Amino acid sequence: MTGTLKICGVTKQMAGKDVVSQLDLSVRAGELFVLVGESGSGKTTILRMIDRLIEPSAGQIRLDGKPIESFPVTELHRSIGYIFQQGTLFPTMTVYQNIALIPELKHWAATKIHERASTLMDAVSLPLSTYAGRYPHELSGGEQQRVGIVRALIADPKLILMDEPFSALDPIVRQELQTLLLRLHEELDSTVIFVTHDMQEALRLGDRIGVMRAGCLLQVDAPKVLRQHPANQFVASLFANQQQRGFGDIRSSELIKFALPTHEVLGETLNGNASINEVITSLDQHSRVFIEVSTGRYVVTQQVLIKWLCEFQQ
Ligand SMILES: Nc1ncnc2c1ncn2[C@@H]1O[C@H](COP(=O)(O)OP(=O)(O)O)[C@@H](O)[C@H]1O
Ligand SMILES: [Mg+2]
């Protein structure tokens, strides 16, 4: 399996209405694809159809070029990692039992399971020596989601479905886990479909973003294109809403308390009087920009912006 996914003309009717309507979407192997949309727009329904928890009313979903019905369901479930908003873990099993479950079903040797579990738990900063024997209720929300990520990744799935996995977490933990996901995604070659209702999260994570509304995909594009060329009024309004909250006119010097000072002189540089919007636009083109104020030069990255945003939105 390489993890390419193709959704062709998929409709799902529930209680007499189209919850997902004539959906066409291709997700490339190894891509981190984000589906963003307000609550009730059909995002979860799409993931459930991909995992064959429910069947489309019309259309077809293809994985690696083959209709998903052609895979035995158990094989499909073992090759797709699924992470929910909450409660991904089985409450009566320890952390180790939870993460070893799928590799055991795949008949991996115990030593191989332990080795892989240990590597991944280290990667999410939850060493097995401390966490293996704990039960889910003995973990914080953020720790539970980290274990959920390990459980979804351990058996090397080619496709990972993540349904608002960080929505219930506080902004700081959420941001840490976003960073963690970006790092893990770089190291692994899995395709990820990540669902969120939060445009900031979508822009931060997505290689490409699909905007959903009322069961339809309004636009599929890279974050930068989406921002610069919204396909219609609704997509534009997702960005306009951010500005209505007022940060468009705030000065970029507000960012420096989250940024590190530097002596570097080369690179895109903005004055402290520039607006946050100008910083956002610059960050579309550069991985980092410098902000110059009377006390010196500071390095601003997406991460700095997100930190500031998290505080601003509280
Ligand atoms: N089992 C069901 N029966 C009837 N309607 C449903 C069912 N599941 C979901 N829906 C409806 O489908 C729409 C999309 O739901 P969902 O995919 O969960 O949206 P999202 O994940 O974007 O919030 C909602 O209007 C929801 O009420
Ligand atoms: Mg949902």
Side-chain angles (χ1 to χ4, degrees):
M1 231 197 230
T2 60
T4 54
L5 182 81
K6 209 169 165 74
I7 298 177
C8 311
V10 163
T11 294
K12 178 65 184 177
Q13 289 182 329
M14 278 198 269
K17 84 175 212 258
D18 284 2
V19 166
V20 172
S21 183
Q22 285 293 330
L23 194 88
D24 289 305
L25 174 67
S26 289
V27 179
R28 303 167 192 143
E31 186 169 28
L32 203 173
F33 188 91
V34 176
L35 271 178
V36 65
E38 53 204 11
S39 172
S41 56
K43 308 180 297 292
T44 297
T45 304
I46 294 171
L47 297 189
R48 288 167 60 81
M49 287 191 285
I50 297 170
D51 204 36
R52 287 199 72 195
L53 298 170
I54 53 174
E55 302 291 329
S57 311
Q60 194 176 58
I61 301 176
R62 302 174 77 88
L63 196 56
D64 287 345
K66 287 183 283 187
I68 49 169
E69 315 86 78
S70 69
F71 299 89
V73 173
T74 46
E75 186 195 320
L76 194 75
H77 286 167
R78 285 172 205 172
S79 33
I80 295 179
Y82 205 142
I83 304 173
F84 308 94
Q85 182 168 350
Q86 279 167 313
T88 301
L89 304 174
F90 294 113
T92 58
M93 292 182 176
T94 63
V95 164
Y96 194 79
Q97 287 167 337
N98 263 286
I99 57 185
L101 193 63
I102 293 178
E104 276 167 2
L105 289 172
K106 287 184 152 183
H107 307 295
W108 285 20
T111 47
K112 181 178 170 189
I113 298 176
H114 191 271
E115 218 168 88
R116 181 91 177 119
S118 170
T119 307
L120 281 172
M121 289 294 277
D122 285 344
V124 302
S125 310
L126 299 175
L128 274 185
S129 52
T130 310
Y131 287 91
R134 292 220 194 151
Y135 286 88
H137 73 267
E138 296 169 321
L139 305 174
S140 72
E143 288 169 343
Q144 286 185 29
Q145 288 309 68
R146 283 169 201 261
V147 175
I149 291 172
V150 170
R151 197 174 79 154
L153 292 181
I154 191 163
D156 296 317
K158 284 296 164 200
L159 181 62
I160 300 165
L161 307 175
M162 304 183 78
D163 196 352
E164 311 218 20
F166 307 148
S167 297
L169 306 174
D170 69 67
I172 299 296
V173 175
R174 181 173 190 166
Q175 187 198 322
E176 278 170 16
L177 291 199
Q178 288 169 351
T179 308
L180 172 70
L181 175 64
L182 287 170
R183 207 184 73 222
L184 288 172
H185 180 251
E186 228 163 67
E187 288 165 12
L188 306 165
D189 57 353
S190 318
T191 309
V192 178
I193 302 187
F194 187 103
V195 160
T196 180
H197 60 263
D198 176 355
M199 192 46 128
Q200 282 308 320
E201 186 164 69
L203 292 169
R204 171 137 198 251
L205 295 177
D207 294 323
R208 286 189 307 151
I209 298 170
V211 181
M212 296 280 305
R213 189 188 197 192
C216 299
L217 255 182
L218 299 183
Q219 183 171 5
V220 177
D221 265 313
K224 185 175 154 188
V225 181
L226 204 67
R227 193 174 359 234
Q228 291 176 348
H229 306 286
N232 56 41
Q233 210 49 48
F234 178 76
V235 178
S237 76
L238 294 175
F239 298 105
N241 284 345
Q242 295 173 356
Q243 288 178 22
Q244 274 163 21
R245 279 192 230 137
F247 74 71
D249 299 324
I250 296 175
R251 286 152 40 123
S252 65
S253 55
E254 293 291 316
L255 294 169
I256 64 172
K257 69 171 159 168
F258 298 101
L260 289 173
T262 180
H263 293 298
E264 284 179 67
V265 289
L266 293 179
E268 176 79 0
T269 302
L270 291 168
N271 182 299
N273 289 324
S275 69
I276 301 273
N277 263 355
E278 287 173 76
V279 178
I280 292 173
T281 309
S282 278
L283 279 175
D284 275 341
Q285 271 131 37
H286 309 276
S287 59
R288 41 202 232 132
V289 301
F290 298 95
I291 290 179
E292 206 153 63
V293 293
S294 57
T295 52
R297 280 167 75 75
Y298 293 80
V299 188
V300 172
T301 57
Q302 280 282 359
Q303 226 165 322
V304 169
L305 195 62
I306 301 274
K307 274 189 196 155
W308 174 81
L309 260 176
C310 287
E311 192 189 78
F312 179 76
Q313 285 173 345
Q314 275 175 356

